[in-house]
Amino acid sequence: MDVESLIKRKITATYVTTAVTSIILALYMADGMKAGEPYGDGFLSWVLVYSMYVGAIVLIYGNLVSVGIEYLQKNWFIKHTWLYVLLHGLFGLVNGLFFQETTLAIAGMVAASFYAVIDRWLYVRDRVQQSSKLFWLFPLLACGLLCGYFQLLSEPVPPFSKEDAVEFATDGEGTATEYFPKYIGKADEMIHGYHVERETSAKEIGNETYIITFTERWKKGKEKGSWSLSYEVERQSLTIYGDEGTYPPYYQ
């Protein structure tokens, strides 16, 4: 057995199986993508996510099983391609059976069988000294075309404005910003004898990136103070930017 040829064949089969399986799984996620997110970007993200998991399983478990089957078939079993594919499919059921998940078992069987078919195809081509470049190019071409197709289907993403950033930063209850205005502006109220002014402000620091600041000022007789909390907000992320001042006494 030519070890170099074997390794090249198994790596190529791993790549093709991982890519094709990930693309198919990502296609099922296309309808569930978030509104406003470009379909092309979402599709590619899912392809990458699935590639990590599928690739790890095929690279480690799949190749160990495949090499073992190939060795046993060479020395003990009849060298039928159908038997080679069947044995791969049976071992592909293992993960699903282990987790008692029928869908996973079927997906594993199909992926393992597909791996075996690609592996045998590469084996035949290698014997007649034909190139395997097409196997490396096809998944990339398919992924690129699908990304382009989904990108064309995407509706234009509306601009992410200051008002959108404020809405994102004030969304939710039980947070430090719960009682602040959910708009850019000020609001007054009395709390335990303190005159309290709360202000929500927004400042753009980059392309659709804002600093949303929540400032609270209070006064009761000669006692007064202020406190502020800032967040850096982008379309899908919110991180604390900083805080300063003295925490209001009426919260303690």
Side-chain angles (χ1 to χ4, degrees), residues 61 65 69 83-95 97 105 108-110 112-113:
Y61 172 75
V65 169
I69 291 174
L83 179 60
Y84 186 79
V85 174
L86 176 63
L87 290 173
H88 276 74
L90 292 176
F91 276 98
L93 290 168
V94 171
N95 283 325
L97 295 177
M109 180 185 68
V110 173
S113 299

Side-chain angles (χ1 to χ4, degrees), residues 56-111:
I57 294 172
V58 177
L59 182 64
I60 300 172
Y61 172 75
N63 279 305
L64 284 175
V65 169
S66 184
V67 171
I69 291 174
E70 190 163 339
Y71 175 80
L72 291 175
Q73 191 174 39
K74 182 179 180 180
N75 292 275
W76 300 94
F77 300 150
I78 301 173
K79 296 181 181 179
H80 288 311
T81 299
W82 66 266
L83 179 60
Y84 186 79
V85 174
L86 176 63
L87 290 173
H88 276 74
L90 292 176
F91 276 98
L93 290 168
V94 171
N95 283 325
L97 295 177
F98 179 79
F99 291 105
Q100 298 183 342
E101 178 58 52
T102 304
T103 303
L104 181 61
I106 294 174
M109 180 185 68
V110 173

Side-chain angles (χ1 to χ4, degrees), residues 39-205:
Y39 288 160
D41 294 345
F43 170 75
L44 184 58
S45 297
W46 280 112
V47 169
L48 294 175
V49 169
Y50 282 124
S51 292
M52 289 189 293
Y53 291 99
V54 175
I57 294 172
V58 177
L59 182 64
I60 300 172
Y61 172 75
N63 279 305
L64 284 175
V65 169
S66 184
V67 171
I69 291 174
E70 190 163 339
Y71 175 80
L72 291 175
Q73 191 174 39
K74 182 179 180 180
N75 292 275
W76 300 94
F77 300 150
I78 301 173
K79 296 181 181 179
H80 288 311
T81 299
W82 66 266
L83 179 60
Y84 186 79
V85 174
L86 176 63
L87 290 173
H88 276 74
L90 292 176
F91 276 98
L93 290 168
V94 171
N95 283 325
L97 295 177
F98 179 79
F99 291 105
Q100 298 183 342
E101 178 58 52
T102 304
T103 303
L104 181 61
I106 294 174
M109 180 185 68
V110 173
S113 299
F114 178 73
Y115 172 101
V117 170
I118 295 297
D119 181 77
R120 290 297 88 185
W121 192 357
L122 289 166
Y123 177 76
V124 172
R125 290 177 65 88
D126 186 56
R127 293 190 66 180
V128 295
Q129 298 183 339
Q130 291 183 329
S131 174
S132 61
K133 290 181 180 179
L134 181 63
F135 291 87
W136 287 89
L137 291 175
F138 173 75
L140 291 175
L141 181 61
C143 188
L145 289 174
L146 286 169
C147 278
Y149 171 72
F150 282 123
Q151 204 69 31
L152 290 174
L153 292 181
S154 301
E155 297 180 1
V157 179
F160 186 65
S161 65
K162 288 182 180 180
E163 290 72 20
D164 294 326
V166 169
E167 182 180 359
F168 186 39
T170 56
D171 185 26
E173 298 181 356
T175 65
T177 63
E178 179 179 5
Y179 301 107
F180 284 85
K182 298 184 182 299
Y183 53 86
I184 298 174
K186 300 178 181 180
D188 295 315
E189 68 173 297
M190 295 297 295
I191 303 177
H192 302 311
Y194 288 88
H195 176 257
V196 179
E197 178 188 79
R198 296 191 179 98
E199 179 182 8
T200 301
S201 60
K203 176 184 178 182
E204 187 170 8
I205 61 171

Side-chain angles (χ1 to χ4, degrees), residues 175-241:
T175 65
T177 63
E178 179 179 5
Y179 301 107
F180 284 85
K182 298 184 182 299
Y183 53 86
I184 298 174
K186 300 178 181 180
D188 295 315
E189 68 173 297
M190 295 297 295
I191 303 177
H192 302 311
Y194 288 88
H195 176 257
V196 179
E197 178 188 79
R198 296 191 179 98
E199 179 182 8
T200 301
S201 60
K203 176 184 178 182
E204 187 170 8
I205 61 171
N207 183 30
E208 297 190 343
T209 302
Y210 304 92
I211 298 298
I212 307 301
T213 303
F214 301 94
T215 305
E216 189 163 346
R217 306 177 186 91
W218 64 91
K219 184 177 181 180
K220 181 180 181 182
K222 295 183 179 180
E223 183 184 359
K224 61 181 179 179
S226 66
W227 170 78
S228 66
L229 175 65
S230 299
Y231 290 94
E232 182 176 327
V233 183
E234 297 179 85
R235 186 178 293 272
Q236 294 180 356
S237 69
L238 175 75
T239 55
I240 293 179
Y241 186 77

